[in-house]
Amino acid sequence: MNRATRFWRSTVGKKIVMAVSGIIMIGFLILHAAGNLQIFESSAKLNTYSAFLHGPANELLWVVRIVLFVAVIAHIVSAYQLTMLDRAARPVPYAQKKLQAATIGSRTMRVGGVLLALFIVLHILHFTTLTLQPAPMAAGDVYGNAIASFRIWWVTAFYVIAMIALGLHLYHGAWSSARTLGFEQGHSDPFHRPVAVTLAVLIWAGFTIVPVAVFFHWIS
Amino acid sequence: MNLTLRVWRQAGPKAPGRMVEYKAADISPEASFLEMMDVVNETLTLRGDEPIAFDHDCREGICGMCSMMINGVAHGPNRGTATCQLHMRSFEDGALIYIEPWRVRAFPVVKDLCVDRSALDRIVAAGGFITAATGGAQDANSVLVSKADADLAMDAAACIGCGACAAACPNGSASLFTGAKISHLGQLPQGQPERYRRALAMVEQHDAEGFGGCTLHGECQLACPKEISIDTIARMHRDFLVGAATTREERSGSGVG
Amino acid sequence: MELRARVPEGPIEQKWDSHRFEMKLVNPANKRKYTIIVVGTGLAGGSAAATLAELGYNVKCFCFQDSPRRAHSIAAQGGINAAKNYQNDGDSIYRLFYDTVKGGDFRSREANVYRLAQISVNIIDQCVAQGVPFAREYGGLLANRSFGGAQVSRTFYARGQTGQQLLLGAYQALERQIGKGMVQMYPRTEMLDLVVIDGVARGIVTRNLVTGAIESHAADAVILGSGGYGNVFYLSTNAKGSNATAIWRAYKRGAAFANPCFTQIHPTCIPKSGEYQSKLTLMSESLRNDGRVWVPLKKGDTRSPDTIPAEERDYFLERRYPSFGNLVPRDVASRAAKSICDEGRGVGTTGLGVYLDFASAIERVGEATIRERYGNLFEMYQRITDENPYKVPMRIYPAVHYTMGGLWVDYNLMSTIPGLHVIGEANFSDHGANRLGASALMQGLADGYFIVTNTIADYLATAKLPPVDTSRGEFRDAEAHVAARTKRFLAAKGTRTVDSFHRELGNLMWEYCGMSRTAEGLQTALEKIPKLREEFWRDVNVPGSADTLNQALEKAGRVADFFELAELMCLDALERRESCGGHFREEYRTPDGEALRDDEHFAYVAAWEYAGDGARPVLNKEPLTFDYVHLAQRSYK
């Protein structure tokens, strides 16, 4: 059996794939959030940034898109396979089972992951392809599109809920992916996770603030 | 104390099982959990029922034979305590106690609360050792091991192989068991030559036994009667990763001239 | 029966070397043609099975637990002795040899003990190579401590789990061989009979504890490493499953049983708390390095210990043994505690306990240091008793811990049945009448890694062994015998459980054949035990069937053997009209109450030979000579 097959077949190999793809996505999220926050500066700033990405940086954008696409698929496929393996590992459930250590983050990884996958599809259809238009939207006017969409309560609600799922996903995922890649933090409590908490809060806040600010007319 | 027990009864590996209710009367709070089970079994025997089969041996928390899921927690409510060292004073008089076997596909039920944990032995057989045939060793003090390394190795080596980690894991993963052995041996200079090969082989055997994968819920660490840290799992991941990246396929037939 | 110890000629330092040269070898290519059965997977059995497989033999290995890693060697806490002299404190092979012979109260074979001391150094090397995480100094060298009153620091340890770590080393080596297909492992399988063909051990009959199947296994040699028989007392520090069935069946097939009355009572165990109690828990002997043992001076003083002023306390070990104080050997400490409790000065609700007090040590070195030294033991104590030993003194009481007696073996560790080798606690060889702390692990591993694995080659190379398979009549007979016995237990359908009989037998043995013995008491026991045994067979209730996992049936078989063994122990204790080591006959003591040996009449190994059910076993004597360690009264005053 060759090395790659051996690697992929094992639960640890799949976990490593999840961790690496997860970290790629975290990197993207940081950039994405930073881009979004330009909305607070001015409409021109945001739209210029968008034009830059679709103009001079277009090739780079496509590289990023391909990398992300591969990462998302790898993340989902390994998550799915691991979930199936994990379910098979306990065919008879306990009559009583108490969890002692699992956090809300770790417990919601699967359901939250599915929600996030759904969110990603809708989000792309919404802002990238403009296929879904809850309000009239125009190509190139990212700022205007955001204002128009997030003034609608259910659009904002959906984004806010999805970002809660993202925060929880990161609260566990950012911490566990480092451990999956073998990093020990040298802290006496292995559940200690300052970096993951910081990342989760910043990314969650960075994304949530935009729709909320638009909805409450903090931006106009 | 008087207690109500709901105990899993299963006549054999293939037989169907169910939870059955028993009363445990006049139990001393000073008795251990297993001594309470002994009393129940004496009563069952004398009234002509078959006693409840459960694994136990040393009854001092080191052999790793005892294995009960008590009220949904592996080895019961006390941290760092195997079932045999759990005492009845940890329960309220009149309590209802659920007692179940470890439920993991890789640990098929043998009878009642007894399960077959030979999967753990096979994980060790796959690589959980240092190859050192008797007689070839050099003087013990010729290998220096820093105290910190020796202590870390010992922390991991304290594993008693009870299987509580897999029983408590929502994914039915025995990663803590496997990681503890990989950490113990990988932390010592003597364990270096086989370090990455060991990690690959043990992880593969772990998976082949049908255990689930680790998602780092951390349930295992809290269930472990020796409180082994999930840091050992991180070390297993690292050694597996390095092993997967660097280990060459072993060539056979290079024989000696 | 002729007892040929086969101790090699020559000076004691050279016996083992010259013997190894003189022994015949098995050609490497021929080793795989031999099958060797190993019963038990503790330090002795596990290390022997692994090493034999490494050498190239086919090994079949058996244990009653669900995994070879669970053998009771795992519970040993304190450490393992070795004459490394890493501390430069005057230790040597000769000193370890000397201490062990003296500590055993001159009832062991000098040549065996010397070899044990020689091999002790190789054991540490071997275990370190396997990755046993022994305690280290900051510089990376191995740490040592003094243990059990030894005046040198020769004990190697891995926290309070030395036995566990050594066993895991042997277990891992064994699993490696299982993985390679060199060892066939049979867990949850109990040996129920030995098969002797043409006077030679050729196999065993076992019961698969899961399916109930009775099976035969043929081999060229059989090794028993099945441990001791302390559970004859019901309450002991042994694991619940520890049993004497393998050695007892071998005894009934012709292997002599040596010194059955030599049992060790360990002084520092947690006292019994009630009738439901199923076992006793040992607290490491190392606690006596800092703990002071005392009881109230007045009888029936029920004040809480902290309110009893110093002048109303009796630090009886320090008083009676000023030079060794709290560190006197196990047998001495145990007897002193018992005699105090017999006077009515014991503490705790049962009156069977003495204080082990750390208050002055905590005052001297601080609680943090004590926590570092004994933290896990204190925790264990608190878990069991719900008392905090940092605040109140521990209560301790002696408990049965180890059996020095066992099947008689010659220098090659072969019993009186050719081909049947016995190793570890199951044999009698090295500890005489009293075992020193940290010596059991040493002996188990010496036997298993280094001795039997060499001597068995000599047996295989010299014995003319015709091929044998399990179709032989002897196997059929043994299987039928085992099956009939099983049936008999299930058919009794009486009114008492196995445990109730076991408990009663244990009480009898503790009363009459425990820490101190009298001719009168032993005779009483010899009358009572057969009656109780008869009642057992008539009135025992073993529920369930023979074709599934049936733990009551397993226990019944073991208890039935304990009944017979108990009688032999009492007989041996009665016959040995002296006090030595763990065997204390009240009639034979010095004016100040210490054990009084009678070297003129009893410097021998009592090897009992089975003579048929109901017949008195035959006593054979192997005289013991002491050419190197001079016979002397042990004194710890």
Side-chain angles (χ1 to χ4, degrees):
Chain A
M1 203 175 6
N2 81 33
R3 241 198 256 176
T5 324
R6 275 180 85 173
F7 179 80
W8 174 248
R9 279 199 181 183
S10 80
T11 51
V12 178
K14 291 184 208 297
K15 276 285 295 176
I16 291 171
V17 170
M18 288 200 72
V20 171
S21 53
I23 288 171
I24 291 171
M25 289 189 275
I26 290 174
F28 167 72
L29 289 176
I30 294 170
L31 294 176
H32 189 354
N36 289 3
L37 290 175
Q38 298 176 67
I39 199 171
F40 289 101
E41 203 151 313
S42 68
S43 63
K45 177 90 181 173
L46 186 64
N47 284 348
T48 314
Y49 172 62
S50 164
F52 167 76
L53 289 181
H54 289 92
N58 201 31
E59 282 83 7
L60 183 67
L61 183 68
W62 274 103
V63 171
V64 170
R65 280 175 172 171
I66 290 165
V67 169
L68 280 175
F69 181 74
V70 171
V72 169
I73 296 301
H75 204 74
I76 291 175
V77 170
S78 38
Y80 174 77
Q81 292 192 355
L82 281 170
T83 305
M84 290 300 117
L85 286 171
D86 294 348
R87 292 216 173 133
R90 177 161 299 129
V92 183
Y94 287 106
Q96 246 205 7
K97 179 77 173 75
K98 283 189 198 127
L99 292 175
Q100 303 187 89
T103 60
I104 182 165
S106 74
R107 272 183 260 178
T108 54
M109 286 306 271
R110 282 170 190 155
V111 59
V114 171
L115 179 66
L116 287 172
L118 183 72
F119 169 79
I120 291 168
V121 172
L122 293 175
H123 179 58
I124 291 171
L125 292 175
H126 180 195
F127 278 111
T128 312
T129 65
L130 306 182
T131 317
L132 298 176
Q133 300 201 3
M137 292 162 72
D141 184 10
V142 181
Y143 183 87
N145 292 346
I147 301 288
S149 300
F150 292 137
R151 287 277 153 82
I152 303 167
W153 71 268
W154 51 268
V155 174
T156 299
F158 176 66
Y159 273 77
V160 166
I161 290 169
M163 287 311 104
I164 291 172
L166 177 65
L168 291 174
H169 210 75
L170 291 175
Y171 174 71
H172 183 73
W175 167 77
S176 73
S177 52
R179 326 227 84 207
T180 298
L181 293 177
F183 292 104
E184 280 174 75
Q185 50 198 8
H187 193 275
S188 61
D189 175 13
F191 294 101
H192 185 69
R193 55 184 93 180
V195 177
V197 171
T198 313
L199 272 176
V201 169
L202 287 181
I203 293 176
W204 165 79
F207 281 122
T208 303
I209 191 73
V210 175
V212 169
V214 171
F215 184 74
F216 289 108
H217 292 76
W218 300 337
I219 302 172
S220 50
Chain B
M1 299 170 80
N2 293 300
L3 305 152
T4 306
L5 311 179
R6 289 208 184 125
V7 186
W8 181 260
R9 300 301 308 259
Q10 180 173 342
K14 299 255 157 55
R18 65 196 178 94
M19 299 296 283
V20 179
E21 193 165 301
Y22 298 99
K23 297 280 176 210
D26 293 329
I27 302 294
S28 160
E30 299 304 311
S32 75
F33 198 84
L34 297 183
E35 283 163 354
M36 181 276 292
M37 294 294 287
D38 289 341
V39 173
V40 171
N41 273 346
E42 293 277 294
T43 323
L44 289 179
T45 304
L46 290 177
R47 75 173 199 224
D49 286 345
E50 232 189 287
I52 302 159
F54 62 91
D55 274 325
H56 64 100
D57 200 25
C58 78
R59 297 202 176 192
E60 49 188 274
I62 192 76
C63 78
M65 191 103 174
C66 59
S67 46
M68 289 182 190
M69 203 71 180
I70 300 167
N71 283 339
V73 178
H75 289 303
N78 295 359
R79 291 273 162 84
T81 304
T83 302
C84 61
Q85 291 193 300
L86 175 63
H87 282 71
M88 296 314 293
R89 65 177 91 90
S90 304
F91 295 87
E92 302 280 321
D93 190 15
L96 168 68
I97 305 176
Y98 281 78
I99 308 173
E100 297 177 75
W102 291 165
R103 294 209 181 281
V104 185
R105 181 168 65 138
F107 297 158
V109 172
V110 172
K111 186 178 184 176
D112 298 339
L113 303 171
C114 302
V115 298
D116 175 357
R117 284 168 287 190
S118 52
L120 300 181
D121 292 324
R122 289 189 292 273
I123 293 175
V124 173
F129 47 75
I130 288 172
T131 299
T134 306
Q138 55 187 340
D139 184 85
N141 256 350
S142 62
V143 185
L144 297 181
V145 183
S146 78
K147 188 169 184 301
D149 281 342
D151 285 347
L152 268 179
M154 183 62 215
D155 288 343
C159 168
I160 59 174
C162 62
C165 47
C169 176
N171 306 326
S173 170
S175 284
L176 192 67
F177 170 84
T178 313
K181 188 46 63 193
I182 289 172
S183 295
H184 158 210
L185 300 175
Q187 201 72 36
L188 295 169
Q190 306 94 298
Q192 296 311 310
E194 292 166 290
R195 179 170 175 185
Y196 301 112
R197 191 169 183 267
R198 174 185 309 121
L200 287 177
M202 290 182 76
V203 167
E204 273 173 10
Q205 189 63 37
H206 167 276
D207 294 347
E209 296 294 343
F211 290 108
C214 172
T215 54
L216 286 159
H217 283 294
E219 289 295 323
C220 51
Q221 180 180 319
L222 273 77
C224 176
K226 297 295 153 191
E227 301 182 282
I228 291 173
S229 160
I230 53 171
D231 280 340
T232 60
I233 299 179
R235 277 179 229 140
M236 167 175 82
H237 288 158
R238 183 178 58 209
D239 285 2
F240 177 88
L241 183 57
V242 175
T246 59
T247 307
R248 289 162 189 257
E249 306 292 321
E250 277 172 40
R251 277 193 292 173
S252 54
S254 58
V256 268
Chain C
M1 180 184 281
E2 193 199 356
L3 297 173
R4 284 187 51 222
R6 306 215 287 177
V7 173
E9 295 301 315
I12 200 157
E13 299 84 1
Q14 289 164 26
K15 283 181 195 288
W16 178 232
D17 276 351
S18 60
H19 189 61
R20 276 193 293 173
F21 177 69
E22 279 155 18
M23 283 190 297
K24 297 270 182 299
L25 300 172
V26 176
N27 180 309
N30 285 339
K31 284 187 179 135
R32 63 187 145 84
K33 295 180 187 157
Y34 291 105
T35 299
I36 299 170
I37 283 174
V38 180
V39 180
T41 58
L43 287 181
S47 61
T51 304
L52 289 167
E54 287 163 4
L55 289 168
Y57 297 103
N58 282 311
V59 179
K60 285 180 152 191
C61 189
F62 299 81
C63 69
F64 72 82
Q65 299 92 340
D66 73 336
S67 161
R69 69 180 289 150
R70 309 211 197 276
H72 195 56
S73 305
I74 204 152
Q77 298 169 352
I80 177 168
N81 285 333
K84 281 284 196 185
N85 194 28
Y86 281 157
Q87 306 306 322
N88 190 31
D89 57 359
D91 199 12
S92 63
I93 288 170
Y94 202 90
R95 186 176 294 282
L96 176 55
F97 155 68
Y98 182 93
D99 287 354
T100 308
V101 171
K102 180 185 172 213
D105 220 357
F106 302 94
R107 291 296 174 264
S108 51
R109 204 187 274 148
E110 274 192 333
N112 285 51
V113 178
Y114 193 87
R115 174 177 63 185
L116 176 66
Q118 277 177 306
I119 290 176
S120 68
V121 298
N122 305 101
I123 295 172
I124 301 304
D125 298 343
Q126 178 60 28
C127 295
V128 167
Q130 287 173 340
V132 170
F134 283 121
R136 299 273 169 171
E137 305 291 353
Y138 279 102
L141 296 171
L142 287 154
N144 288 114
R145 61 182 169 202
S146 105
F147 196 79
Q151 289 170 309
V152 291
S153 287
R154 62 159 75 102
T155 304
F156 295 79
Y157 61 100
R159 299 208 181 130
Q161 293 122 281
T162 316
Q164 180 200 28
Q165 293 310 315
L166 296 174
L167 182 64
L168 292 182
Y171 157 77
Q172 285 161 203
L174 176 60
E175 284 297 335
R176 176 172 158 250
Q177 296 302 320
I178 294 170
K180 290 171 83 175
M182 294 298 290
V183 176
Q184 244 180 306
M185 186 67 222
Y186 296 83
R188 290 202 199 261
T189 305
E190 182 160 33
M191 166 181 161
L192 291 180
D193 211 346
L194 177 76
V195 178
V196 179
I197 296 176
D198 303 327
V200 174
R202 292 310 298 268
I204 61 172
V205 169
T206 59
R207 179 169 180 271
N208 178 321
L209 299 181
V210 176
T211 65
I214 300 206
E215 287 155 352
S216 286
H217 301 272
D220 298 291
V222 176
I223 299 175
L224 300 185
S226 54
Y229 49 90
N231 269 348
V232 105
F233 292 89
Y234 186 70
L235 284 183
S236 80
T237 64
N238 284 6
K240 291 297 285 175
S242 300
N243 68 83
T245 291
I247 53 172
W248 192 250
R249 301 280 108 200
Y251 163 76
K252 292 183 88 170
R253 293 286 177 187
F257 205 120
N259 300 334
C261 78
F262 287 169
T263 49
Q264 178 166 78
I265 316 280
H266 196 291
T268 51
C269 299
I270 299 175
K272 179 176 159 176
S273 67
E275 270 316 300
Y276 51 82
Q277 185 115 12
S278 61
K279 80 154 273 160
L280 296 169
T281 303
L282 175 87
M283 306 293 293
S284 171
E285 184 160 35
S286 59
L287 289 171
R288 285 197 282 145
N289 288 341
D290 282 304
R292 296 178 70 194
V293 176
W294 65 275
V295 290
L297 262 178
K298 274 188 303 190
K299 249 190 224 183
D301 188 341
T302 53
R303 285 177 293 174
S304 95
D306 52 316
T307 61
I308 301 179
E311 62 277 10
E312 289 178 49
R313 298 176 176 192
D314 178 10
Y315 291 91
F316 57 94
L317 287 179
E318 295 168 23
R319 171 171 59 80
R320 283 167 64 171
Y321 307 99
S323 68
F324 276 70
N326 294 298
L327 291 171
V328 289
R330 293 174 176 181
D331 53 341
V332 179
S334 295
R335 270 198 300 279
K338 180 183 191 296
S339 70
I340 290 286
C341 294
D342 289 348
E343 284 173 29
R345 294 198 284 144
V347 299
T349 48
T350 56
L352 295 176
V354 297
Y355 290 126
L356 179 63
D357 198 339
F358 290 86
S360 43
I362 289 174
E363 207 170 295
R364 194 177 67 242
V365 296
E367 189 174 316
T369 309
I370 293 296
R371 192 179 297 276
E372 197 178 297
R373 284 183 194 161
Y374 311 109
N376 57 344
L377 296 167
F378 277 39
E379 237 170 67
M380 180 165 89
Y381 181 85
Q382 184 160 15
R383 202 174 290 144
I384 291 171
T385 61
D386 208 19
E387 288 173 0
N388 178 357
Y390 295 101
K391 302 277 172 256
V392 293
M394 288 184 176
R395 286 173 296 110
I396 55 164
Y397 197 65
V400 176
H401 176 56
Y402 187 88
T403 51
M404 282 74 68
L407 292 185
W408 184 88
V409 288
D410 63 14
Y411 189 73
N412 288 342
L413 304 184
M414 189 159 82
S415 71
T416 54
I417 301 176
L420 177 70
H421 294 69
V422 190
I423 56 178
E425 191 180 350
N427 75 24
F428 87 105
S429 72
D430 296 352
H431 305 298
N434 174 54
R435 181 174 66 72
L436 290 179
S439 284
L441 303 183
M442 173 173 70
Q443 186 225 338
L445 290 179
D447 289 2
Y449 280 131
F450 296 104
I451 303 175
V452 79
T453 43
N454 277 292
T455 59
I456 209 160
D458 184 54
Y459 169 75
L460 294 171
T462 51
K464 297 274 171 290
L465 296 169
V468 160
D469 64 46
T470 54
S471 61
R472 289 275 301 230
E474 288 87 346
F475 281 100
R476 294 285 86 74
D477 293 348
E479 284 175 19
H481 175 73
V482 166
R485 210 170 122 90
T486 307
K487 228 179 188 168
R488 209 178 142 195
F489 289 127
L490 293 169
K493 299 207 187 308
T495 61
R496 289 183 62 182
T497 61
V498 178
D499 274 352
S500 81
F501 280 107
H502 193 180
R503 215 174 272 131
E504 192 174 338
L505 173 68
N507 285 339
L508 259 175
M509 289 300 284
W510 181 250
E511 175 77 21
Y512 298 115
C513 197
M515 254 183 293
S516 71
R517 301 149 176 189
T518 63
E520 196 189 342
L522 290 164
Q523 266 148 359
T524 312
L526 283 169
E527 280 163 29
K528 286 186 168 178
I529 294 168
K531 281 188 195 141
L532 188 63
R533 185 180 67 221
E534 189 271 328
E535 189 192 337
F536 168 79
W537 281 101
R538 186 166 34 82
D539 199 26
V540 72
N541 182 332
V542 181
S545 66
D547 56 1
T548 79
L549 182 74
N550 185 337
Q551 292 170 325
L553 181 62
E554 294 165 24
K555 276 194 277 190
R558 294 167 191 164
V559 172
D561 288 335
F562 282 142
F563 269 112
E564 298 179 11
L565 172 56
E567 228 179 306
L568 187 67
M569 289 168 70
C570 293
L571 190 60
D572 186 46
L574 185 63
E575 202 64 32
R576 190 170 281 279
R577 291 178 299 282
E578 64 161 350
S579 295
C580 59
H583 170 66
F584 188 75
R585 283 281 299 267
E586 287 181 16
E587 305 93 316
Y588 308 102
R589 50 177 160 184
T590 61
D592 49 358
E594 299 302 323
L596 184 61
R597 275 199 335 264
D598 177 354
D599 294 323
E600 196 187 331
H601 300 100
F602 292 96
Y604 63 73
V605 177
W608 296 88
E609 183 185 351
Y610 179 66
D613 280 331
R616 185 189 155 93
V618 180
L619 173 60
N620 300 280
K621 297 175 184 175
E622 180 200 338
L624 292 170
T625 52
F626 294 89
D627 301 325
Y628 295 87
V629 185
H630 296 296
L631 285 163
Q633 175 79 39
R634 285 199 302 164
S635 171
Y636 297 96
K637 295 230 174 255

